[in-house]
Amino acid sequence: NRQGQLLNVTGYDGTAILSTYRNTFNRVGSSLLGSPISNVRPSGNGFLQEFAGGSDGRGAIMKSNANDKSYWVGGDFWNKLQQAGGAGGILSYATSERYSTVSGASRQNFQGGAIIKSRSGIFTVYGGIGSHYLKEGGERGRLGLPTSGEVGIGNGVIVQNFEKGRIVWNGGSARTEIYGHTPSQAPQTGGSSFSYGGRTYQWTRYT
């Protein structure tokens, strides 16, 4: 019985080699992933196998219990996922490979949201704000790419900033506020302007 023995083999769970991990390893490439540093192991609502030594840095091939598809999450995306609680956190398991999107940015989708990396940094979008953002068209919509994570501003109100505005979440609903020059209504958080990134913006309200 070889249960628990680390064989440094892609897809090995202690008793057998699982093809979905081998398929993802071959699809993404050994130069990015490096070599396994764990067996396939349970984590949250699924299983993962960690790798290190490749050009993408440390990461894991992840497979949720929802199906037999697995995906590589590595480098900055893996680190950001760990900050969000890992496989057992709010983002949970990957549902896509990392892919290129607008303006040279990269995105990877998860059961609970997405991670987006651009010249502004790498940020998670999830929960009520994330759902509203994706309904707005995500990075291809009128808000553009995220420029911050979620920020609490008091009284249960949370905002997340984007290239062209922000989303305000009051604990039960979300609204979009777009940078403009002739505000039609003061933002939910008060005032007719907002300072961010060393600049002062006027607001135009959209819902």
Side-chain angles (χ1 to χ4, degrees):
N1 184 356
R2 300 159 80 181
Q3 180 69 39
Q5 181 182 358
L6 175 60
L7 294 186
N8 200 37
V9 173
T10 299
Y12 182 65
D13 69 351
T15 58
I17 295 174
L18 308 176
S19 62
T20 182
Y21 296 86
R22 298 296 294 265
N23 293 340
T24 296
F25 181 86
N26 292 333
R27 183 174 68 247
V28 177
S30 60
S31 62
L32 244 66
L33 275 67
S35 301
I37 57 172
S38 75
N39 290 336
V40 175
R41 61 178 179 82
S43 181
N45 190 33
F47 296 83
L48 58 82
Q49 185 174 26
E50 294 180 75
F51 289 75
S55 61
D56 212 20
R58 187 161 179 165
I61 296 176
M62 307 182 72
K63 188 197 81 67
S64 78
N65 291 333
N67 53 53
D68 199 41
K69 296 179 180 179
S70 61
Y71 301 97
W72 167 249
V73 183
D76 291 343
F77 285 74
W78 175 252
N79 295 336
K80 201 68 180 177
L81 178 64
Q82 299 316 298
Q83 292 173 18
I90 192 164
L91 290 174
S92 194
Y93 273 75
T95 59
S96 78
E97 301 289 3
R98 188 168 70 218
Y99 60 92
S100 297
T101 182
V102 298
S103 304
S106 300
R107 170 174 164 171
Q108 189 162 19
N109 299 320
F110 293 80
Q111 291 174 322
I115 298 174
I116 301 175
K117 181 180 180 180
S118 71
R119 61 179 178 271
S120 297
I122 183 166
F123 304 104
T124 54
V125 289
Y126 60 87
I129 287 179
S131 177
H132 189 78
Y133 177 62
L134 296 178
K135 287 178 182 177
E136 287 271 3
E139 68 274 18
R140 298 183 184 277
R142 58 184 177 173
L143 284 164
L145 291 158
T147 58
S148 80
E150 293 189 356
V151 180
I153 59 173
N155 298 319
V157 178
I158 299 171
V159 301
Q160 185 164 6
N161 300 296
F162 300 86
E163 290 175 309
K164 300 173 185 177
R166 65 180 180 178
I167 295 174
V168 180
W169 173 258
N170 65 11
S173 63
R175 59 182 273 177
T176 301
E177 295 175 348
I178 301 294
Y179 298 140
H181 299 288
T182 309
S184 60
Q185 180 177 331
Q188 181 175 324
T189 49
S192 60
S193 64
F194 175 67
S195 295
Y196 178 69
R199 299 176 61 187
T200 299
Y201 298 90
Q202 300 297 313
W203 290 105
T204 300
R205 175 181 178 266
Y206 293 85
T207 58

